[in-house]
Amino acid sequence: MDIAALHAAYAAGDQNPRCVVEGIYDRIEKEGLRPVWISIVPREQAIARAHALESQDRSKLPLYGIPFAVKDNIDVTEMPTTAACPAYAYTPTESATVVTKLEAAGAILIGKTNMDQFATGLVGTRTPYGICSSVFNAKYISGGSSAGSAVAVAGGLVTFSLGTDTAGSGRVPAMFNNLIGLKPTRGAISTHGVVPACRTLDCVSIFAETSYDASLVLANAAGFDAADLYSRQPAVGAGASPWAGAPTFRFGVPSEALLNFFGDDHNPALFKSAAEQLTTLGGVAVEFDLQPFLDAAQLLYKGPWVAERYAAIAKFIGDHKAEMDPTVATIISGAANYSAVDSFDAAYKLEALRRTTSTAWHNFDVMLLPTAPRAFTIEEIAENPIERNSILGTYTNFVNLLDLAAVALPAGMRPDGLPFGVTLIGQAFTEAALLSLADKLHRKLSTALGGSRRELATTPSLKAANPPHGCLLMAVVG
Amino acid sequence: MDIAALHAAYAAGDQNPRCVVEGIYDRIEKEGLRPVWISIVPREQAIARAHALESQDRSKLPLYGIPFAVKDNIDVTEMPTTAACPAYAYTPTESATVVTKLEAAGAILIGKTNMDQFATGLVGTRTPYGICSSVFNAKYISGGSSAGSAVAVAGGLVTFSLGTDTAGSGRVPAMFNNLIGLKPTRGAISTHGVVPACRTLDCVSIFAETSYDASLVLANAAGFDAADLYSRQPAVGAGASPWAGAPTFRFGVPSEALLNFFGDDHNPALFKSAAEQLTTLGGVAVEFDLQPFLDAAQLLYKGPWVAERYAAIAKFIGDHKAEMDPTVATIISGAANYSAVDSFDAAYKLEALRRTTSTAWHNFDVMLLPTAPRAFTIEEIAENPIERNSILGTYTNFVNLLDLAAVALPAGMRPDGLPFGVTLIGQAFTEAALLSLADKLHRKLSTALGGSRRELATTPSLKAANPPHGCLLMAVVG
């Protein structure tokens, strides 16, 4: 259930956190731990937590009694962190900052979810803990790397979940499971206590059924953390989004020649329809050249950024390569081919692409893209695990490198019953504005929430964003 | 002569640009091209340029008729750029942006100056074009890498000059030649048309006799340049320096234990005296821990940033290593030892040091350091060319890595007739404020200009800085 519905049920006395938690554990017991979960909080501990909450002042707990899950590369005290690699597992004595903050807001942790090992993948199949499927079709991948986190929300086990997103891991699974997938600005949510993939690019992401929920979770998850080297405080004026409250705004759509759906028959029409619906919300479509964005994307896996993945687990990989997922081991070992000179050369290339792409934002306020070009079956991924994975990241890989924020949202169902998704992308610190627009577009394109039959129309709308940090709204009269 | 004196002489008709230029070429003819210059503008061409200027509207040319020199890693159209490596020489068809801007403001280029090869050195001895000395003692190094640029100004050949500064190359020679050496914020002056040393760190620097002159040159040299990948526009509020106009301000001085003069007998007292004089200007000394700044400095040569120097000349060094200065070749070849993983690891270390050192700025507004711990003779450098070079950079190496601005200024003469120098360091985009404070302190510590007997007291004072970009000064009354 979405946050507002759950809070309404709590307020009416129709529900209480203990019963909700009991219900979740009953379902997990019935459906089995795998493949969604790697480990769960012991039932009695979660019940005790729910019980303890009941005596607290609900008005001070914005996430009172809301069950959530976290990806298993995010530390939770006294629970193993595996990053989906059993040989790597360790048990932290401290929870990640973001987990502590969400629990302080009243949320109830249920467990830790399955993922592509070391968050290296967009498929959800690179794990020894079982392969997650899309909640809509067991033959199709759930997407990854935040596979279990997406499926736990779409399957109605929890209200929201945390993923991580370096290359699209918080967005691709949102598309395949009909969810909102928020990839905030780098540094907006602390990554302290998160196993690094690429430390300079990693973001904690949020899966939820609605933009309203994602927004509320973000408000409680974000904030500067001195313990995270890459935590950021927005500069004065950062994230200014005057378009968010305006009657019209401009959105970038790629020229058709560069919009590749890799042979899919249904997604082109669904994307076109999403763009049309955006115009009914005041959007004016502006065609732009996607090529420099795609060029930036190439740097992520075909360049020295792979060395960040190596740096993150350098000690481990030396001794335990054989215990790793073979695809993940192959990708990360590729780092050995890159020198420091390559790394600076790539930094110059990225800087040039940042410069080129930054001018695109003079022409539009927000960018509309497919979240992923197409879906794949688990079998298709097994046949060609690297190339097909890389197709999935076509429209997500460049986002973190170029310091952008993104919200993936459901964009209707295909005739074959699989969901399609689009992503709204904006400049750094525009996530609040993106979410408010995503909420409006979501309501134009979708009816049911996640994998459920519950209706989006019954959930609260998200108000337009507040003015950015350090700014006042001014009315010029006269 | 300083800019104001020259402009006064022009206005009074006591001088004209042609005569000034003739005088400079007469001196060069008499003293010889080497070791100050690598190449000069042909006399008749410089005279023609001076002549052409005379028919222009002087009121629109802030640098009308001011002779200047540029380091030979800065392109000037139709003149060879050697970076002090004859085998590397090429002849550009376009001048560097900064040269074009200064010429457009009325300045007259005389020539291109000697330097440590590929700007790799702080000594001025790593060049096949002859070794520059301090204008105060022929046995002592001029400092480098911008050796000839400093000597040309201190020797009174030109009014100002351009150097480059990655590790201190625009500051160390300022100390050894009794000059102002301005190292602006990275990206404030375009490096388009400059041979890279470390592209992510390089700055064009300014040598002048006074802060007033450096400030006027900066105003005409700085500005965003789309052709320079690392050119920056200051964010709103960047460089805010409320202390610049205030009756009191706080300045950081390192605890004595970390203030190393490497055996020098005179500099400790001169540094102490500079700190005392700063208090008479309203400064309140705040002791701080220099160690994290020194740690950052270590990354520059003992870490993968050397790979940037390699990346800059990778094609050349492969075929021409034997034609390079052996010390420079050794240093730059060291880049081969670093992998992309090292490079990311070092980036994390730097980020951690940025975080640590950034909090130091809560306690003070500006930092006072010796420019270099001590001087060396040319012979001393020849005996131990790498280690002694590295001692010279003790207080300069961290500045560009930590995105700071700096002004080196004269700080009195030693009993042996050599000059001492101190540097004021501030956060990014504070150079205008630093220059106004440097001007006041300079007048407390020094009398003569550069290597001349002309008096600082006769030159105009620099007014306090304007409010930073995007800000208004507000008076709160009531």
Side-chain angles (χ1 to χ4, degrees):
Chain A
M1 274 208 274
D2 67 282
I3 295 173
L6 210 44
H7 279 176
Y10 289 159
D14 297 340
Q15 265 292 8
N16 68 57
R18 267 185 290 176
C19 289
V20 166
V21 169
E22 292 280 12
I24 294 169
Y25 280 85
D26 289 348
R27 269 195 61 192
I28 295 174
E29 212 161 90
K30 195 176 127 205
E31 296 168 11
L33 197 64
R34 310 275 187 249
V36 176
W37 307 92
I38 289 179
S39 61
I40 52 174
V41 175
R43 179 193 278 250
E44 57 283 9
Q45 194 178 316
I47 302 286
R49 157 85 176 138
H51 189 53
L53 271 178
E54 286 167 19
S55 61
Q56 290 183 38
D57 180 358
R58 297 184 196 188
S59 69
K60 291 181 178 158
L61 298 172
L63 299 175
Y64 173 83
I66 304 299
F68 76 112
V70 304
K71 187 175 178 177
D72 201 20
N73 57 351
I74 300 175
D75 284 351
V76 173
T77 181
E78 305 306 332
M79 292 181 80
T81 301
T82 69
C85 182
Y88 178 79
Y90 63 91
T91 301
T93 54
E94 185 191 45
S95 291
T97 303
V98 61
V99 172
T100 306
K101 285 176 77 105
L102 292 170
E103 290 187 326
I108 301 174
L109 181 71
I110 302 301
K112 307 192 68 185
T113 58
N114 202 353
M115 57 184 279
D116 285 311
Q117 196 173 82
F118 295 116
T120 298
L122 293 170
V123 287
T125 65
R126 299 171 177 175
T127 162
Y129 294 104
I131 294 175
C132 286
S133 302
S134 161
V135 294
F136 293 92
N137 188 329
K139 288 189 179 167
Y140 279 82
I141 58 166
S142 60
S145 63
S146 313
S149 280
V151 171
V153 176
L157 281 161
V158 291
T159 299
F160 74 90
S161 64
L162 299 181
T164 60
D165 186 317
T166 304
S169 289
R171 290 164 277 159
V172 171
M175 164 157 150
F176 295 156
N177 294 285
N178 201 40
L179 294 174
I180 297 291
L182 166 65
K183 198 296 292 175
T185 304
R186 279 182 348 216
I189 299 180
S190 169
T191 59
H192 176 66
V194 178
V195 178
C198 299
R199 282 183 74 183
T200 59
L201 303 176
D202 295 339
C203 297
V204 171
S205 73
I206 296 166
F207 293 109
E209 289 176 342
T210 66
S211 297
Y212 180 94
D213 282 6
S215 179
L216 193 57
V217 174
L218 175 67
N220 287 283
F224 179 78
D225 179 10
D228 169 15
L229 213 48
Y230 291 95
S231 184
R232 287 156 81 187
Q233 274 164 316
V236 172
S241 315
W243 53 269
T248 66
F249 60 91
R250 302 159 306 161
F251 67 96
V253 276
S255 49
E256 226 163 280
L258 288 177
L259 207 52
N260 192 343
F261 292 92
F262 294 85
D264 188 275
D265 290 334
H266 301 299
N267 294 349
L270 284 164
F271 180 73
K272 208 168 171 189
S273 162
E276 280 162 12
Q277 288 301 321
L278 204 49
T279 63
T280 70
L281 293 168
V284 177
V286 176
E287 205 175 272
F288 75 100
D289 179 10
L290 190 66
Q291 194 55 54
F293 295 88
L294 298 176
D295 292 345
Q298 291 297 309
L299 291 171
L300 198 59
Y301 285 102
K302 297 187 178 161
W305 268 270
V306 173
E308 284 217 86
R309 296 183 188 261
Y310 192 95
I313 57 164
K315 278 182 199 165
F316 176 80
I317 201 172
D319 299 334
H320 300 275
K321 196 172 162 186
E323 294 158 77
M324 286 173 64
D325 176 273
T327 310
V328 173
T330 303
I331 291 166
I332 299 185
S333 303
N337 302 326
Y338 293 101
S339 70
V341 175
D342 293 331
S343 156
F344 280 108
D345 278 336
Y348 306 148
K349 266 188 208 133
L350 177 59
E351 195 61 31
L353 290 165
R354 273 195 188 129
R355 178 66 68 75
T356 310
T357 56
S358 70
T359 62
W361 296 96
H362 300 163
N363 302 322
F364 50 78
D365 305 303
V366 64
M367 191 190 283
L368 181 75
L369 289 178
T371 298
R374 53 163 295 171
F376 287 112
T377 63
I378 292 168
E379 205 180 306
E380 283 167 338
I381 293 297
E383 281 164 17
N384 192 342
I386 292 188
E387 195 191 331
R388 285 182 178 153
N389 182 89
S390 121
I391 287 171
L392 292 174
T394 306
Y395 303 118
T396 55
N397 280 342
F398 66 80
V399 171
N400 300 36
L401 279 166
L402 296 175
D403 197 18
L404 304 171
V407 178
L409 64 139
M413 302 303 287
R414 299 154 46 95
D416 59 7
L418 289 172
F420 178 62
V422 295
T423 295
L424 292 169
I425 299 173
Q427 291 185 276
F429 293 108
T430 59
E431 43 268 58
L434 292 176
L435 280 167
S436 74
L437 182 59
D439 187 51
K440 292 189 194 122
L441 184 59
H442 189 188
R443 289 166 196 277
K444 292 275 183 185
L445 301 174
S446 232
T447 49
L449 294 168
S452 78
R453 292 190 182 170
R454 283 174 290 114
E455 285 181 16
L456 174 57
T458 66
T459 69
S461 293
L462 187 55
K463 302 284 177 297
N466 289 324
H469 176 74
C471 292
L472 297 171
L473 282 184
M474 279 177 78
V476 180
V477 183
Chain B
M1 275 208 272
D2 67 282
I3 296 173
L6 210 44
H7 278 177
Y10 290 160
D14 296 339
Q15 264 294 7
N16 67 58
R18 267 185 289 175
C19 289
V20 166
V21 169
E22 292 279 13
I24 294 168
Y25 280 85
D26 289 347
R27 269 194 62 192
I28 295 174
E29 212 161 89
K30 192 176 130 208
E31 296 168 12
L33 196 65
R34 309 276 186 246
V36 178
W37 306 93
I38 290 182
S39 60
I40 51 173
V41 175
R43 180 193 277 251
E44 56 283 9
Q45 193 177 316
I47 301 285
R49 155 85 176 138
H51 188 55
L53 271 178
E54 286 166 23
S55 62
Q56 288 183 39
D57 179 357
R58 297 184 196 188
S59 68
K60 290 182 178 158
L61 299 174
L63 299 175
Y64 173 82
I66 305 298
F68 77 111
V70 304
K71 188 174 177 177
D72 201 22
N73 57 351
I74 300 175
D75 284 350
V76 173
T77 180
E78 304 306 333
M79 292 181 79
T81 300
T82 68
C85 183
Y88 179 78
Y90 64 91
T91 301
T93 54
E94 184 191 44
S95 291
T97 303
V98 62
V99 172
T100 305
K101 285 175 77 106
L102 292 170
E103 291 187 325
I108 302 174
L109 181 71
I110 302 300
K112 307 193 68 184
T113 58
N114 202 352
M115 58 184 277
D116 285 312
Q117 198 172 82
F118 294 118
T120 298
L122 293 170
V123 286
T125 64
R126 298 171 177 175
T127 162
Y129 294 104
I131 294 175
C132 287
S133 302
S134 159
V135 294
F136 293 93
N137 188 327
K139 285 188 181 167
Y140 279 82
I141 58 166
S142 60
S145 60
S146 314
S149 280
V151 171
V153 176
L157 281 162
V158 291
T159 298
F160 74 90
S161 65
L162 299 182
T164 61
D165 187 317
T166 305
S169 289
R171 289 162 278 159
V172 171
M175 164 159 148
F176 295 156
N177 294 286
N178 200 41
L179 295 174
I180 297 292
L182 166 65
K183 198 296 293 174
T185 306
R186 280 181 349 216
I189 299 180
S190 169
T191 59
H192 176 65
V194 178
V195 178
C198 298
R199 281 184 75 183
T200 60
L201 303 176
D202 296 339
C203 297
V204 171
S205 74
I206 296 166
F207 293 110
E209 289 177 340
T210 66
S211 296
Y212 180 93
D213 281 6
S215 179
L216 193 57
V217 174
L218 175 67
N220 287 283
F224 179 78
D225 180 10
D228 169 15
L229 213 46
Y230 290 95
S231 184
R232 287 155 82 187
Q233 273 164 316
V236 173
S241 316
W243 53 270
T248 67
F249 61 91
R250 303 159 305 160
F251 67 97
V253 276
S255 50
E256 226 164 279
L258 288 178
L259 207 51
N260 192 342
F261 292 92
F262 295 85
D264 188 276
D265 289 336
H266 301 299
N267 293 350
L270 284 165
F271 181 72
K272 210 169 170 188
S273 161
E276 281 163 12
Q277 289 301 320
L278 203 48
T279 64
T280 69
L281 294 169
V284 177
V286 176
E287 206 176 271
F288 75 100
D289 180 11
L290 189 66
Q291 194 56 52
F293 294 89
L294 298 176
D295 292 345
Q298 292 296 309
L299 292 171
L300 197 58
Y301 286 102
K302 295 185 180 163
W305 268 271
V306 173
E308 285 216 87
R309 294 182 189 263
Y310 192 94
I313 56 163
K315 278 184 199 162
F316 175 79
I317 200 172
D319 299 333
H320 299 275
K321 199 174 158 184
E323 294 157 77
M324 285 174 65
D325 177 273
T327 310
V328 173
T330 303
I331 292 166
I332 299 183
S333 303
N337 303 326
Y338 293 101
S339 70
V341 174
D342 294 331
S343 155
F344 280 108
D345 278 337
Y348 306 148
K349 267 189 209 132
L350 177 59
E351 196 61 30
L353 290 165
R354 273 194 189 133
R355 178 67 66 76
T356 310
T357 56
S358 71
T359 63
W361 297 96
H362 300 163
N363 303 322
F364 50 77
D365 306 303
V366 64
M367 192 189 282
L368 181 74
L369 288 179
T371 299
R374 54 163 295 173
F376 287 112
T377 63
I378 292 168
E379 204 180 308
E380 282 167 340
I381 293 298
E383 278 165 20
N384 192 343
I386 291 189
E387 197 190 328
R388 285 182 177 153
N389 183 88
S390 122
I391 287 172
L392 292 174
T394 306
Y395 303 119
T396 55
N397 280 342
F398 65 81
V399 172
N400 301 37
L401 279 166
L402 295 174
D403 198 17
L404 304 171
V407 179
L409 62 139
M413 302 303 288
R414 298 154 47 96
D416 59 7
L418 290 172
F420 178 62
V422 295
T423 295
L424 293 169
I425 299 173
Q427 292 184 277
F429 293 107
T430 59
E431 44 267 57
L434 292 175
L435 280 167
S436 73
L437 183 58
D439 187 51
K440 292 189 194 121
L441 184 59
H442 189 189
R443 288 165 196 279
K444 292 274 183 188
L445 301 174
S446 231
T447 49
L449 294 169
S452 79
R453 292 187 181 174
R454 283 175 290 113
E455 285 181 17
L456 175 57
T458 64
T459 69
S461 294
L462 187 57
K463 302 284 177 297
N466 290 323
H469 176 74
C471 291
L472 297 171
L473 281 185
M474 278 177 80
V476 179
V477 183

